[in-house]
Amino acid sequence: MSGIGQQLPALVGVVIGALASFLAGAASERTRWRRERSSRWDERRAQAYADYGYAVKNVYVTSTRAAELRQQGEENSAAYHDALAELARLNIERTATWESVLLLGHPDTIAAGRTWHRRIWQVERFARGQRTGTDQWDALHDEVNADRGRFYAAARRDLGITTGDIPLGESWEAAPADRGLYGRPS
């Protein structure tokens, strides 16, 4: 009995060492797995934000173009109707990309995205002739630009990008001769 009693502390030490080694390895593996999972979701979230931003911008540009064509009247009626058809297609694309943002996005980014695309809907109302005031048109473009900036700022915060704020571009940098009927670049 005395032989086993003398070896018991060594045996307990081996068991404790093996258990500690197992727990440390499991914790390390769990940390690595979480880091990889987080990285994978960050990549998908970044792509969802980028795809959504591109889709909203396409709706915006096409809405602006359609509004300009509508103002030109019957001379560009076919082009105007083509622009409206393209606008319908782009809205479907925007809606599809929005689903990824809803699934993967941070609540602040989702709220900023919602505000941005609702503002774009106001531009669409000009394209369809439901709004016509040029003073509203100018203010609306400034608001769209600000909403876009808020969306990207929220997305960057969510992704942990800390390189600073995105400088907003000037509202419309085109020369007066290049401006369309609403005073915006054509």
Side-chain angles (χ1 to χ4, degrees):
M1 190 80 161
S2 70
I4 293 179
Q6 290 175 343
Q7 293 176 359
L8 191 58
L11 185 58
V12 169
V14 168
V15 169
I16 290 174
L19 183 60
S21 178
F22 171 77
L23 292 176
S28 175
E29 184 63 25
R30 188 171 37 248
T31 300
R32 185 178 64 78
W33 179 80
R34 284 181 182 152
R35 188 173 37 250
E36 287 175 2
R37 185 184 65 179
S38 176
S39 175
R40 184 174 59 243
W41 286 120
D42 283 349
E43 289 173 17
R44 289 186 179 188
R45 217 173 15 258
Q47 190 62 53
Y49 292 156
D51 291 347
Y52 178 71
Y54 183 70
V56 173
K57 187 172 182 178
N58 284 338
V59 169
Y60 175 69
V61 167
T62 303
S63 294
T64 301
R65 182 173 158 264
E68 295 292 334
L69 289 169
R70 187 185 59 75
Q71 286 296 310
Q72 293 172 7
E74 289 299 315
E75 66 190 61
N76 286 319
S77 178
Y80 172 66
H81 291 291
D82 289 346
L84 289 181
E86 178 68 1
L87 186 56
R89 186 190 70 74
L90 291 171
N91 269 313
I92 291 169
E93 183 179 298
R94 185 210 53 83
T95 300
T97 60
W98 178 240
E99 295 305 316
S100 293
V101 173
L102 287 174
L103 180 65
L104 300 170
H106 186 276
D108 292 343
T109 309
I110 291 169
R114 226 176 232 132
T115 300
W116 186 24
H117 74 240
R118 285 180 179 157
R119 191 84 63 192
I120 298 299
W121 289 341
Q122 296 303 311
V123 177
E124 281 188 61
R125 291 183 66 205
F126 276 97
R128 298 181 191 288
Q130 297 165 342
R131 290 182 72 179
T132 57
T134 56
D135 58 329
Q136 296 171 343
W137 179 257
D138 291 338
L140 184 57
H141 286 284
D142 293 337
E143 292 166 354
V144 164
N145 195 30
D147 289 338
R148 179 176 182 248
R150 282 188 282 275
F151 171 77
Y152 281 108
R156 289 167 57 90
R157 273 191 313 275
D158 180 29
L159 296 169
I161 299 171
T162 59
T163 55
D165 294 335
I166 300 171
L168 292 178
E170 292 301 315
S171 185
W172 293 89
E173 297 171 344
D178 297 332
R179 294 176 187 260
L181 294 174
Y182 278 119
R184 299 293 181 193
S186 49

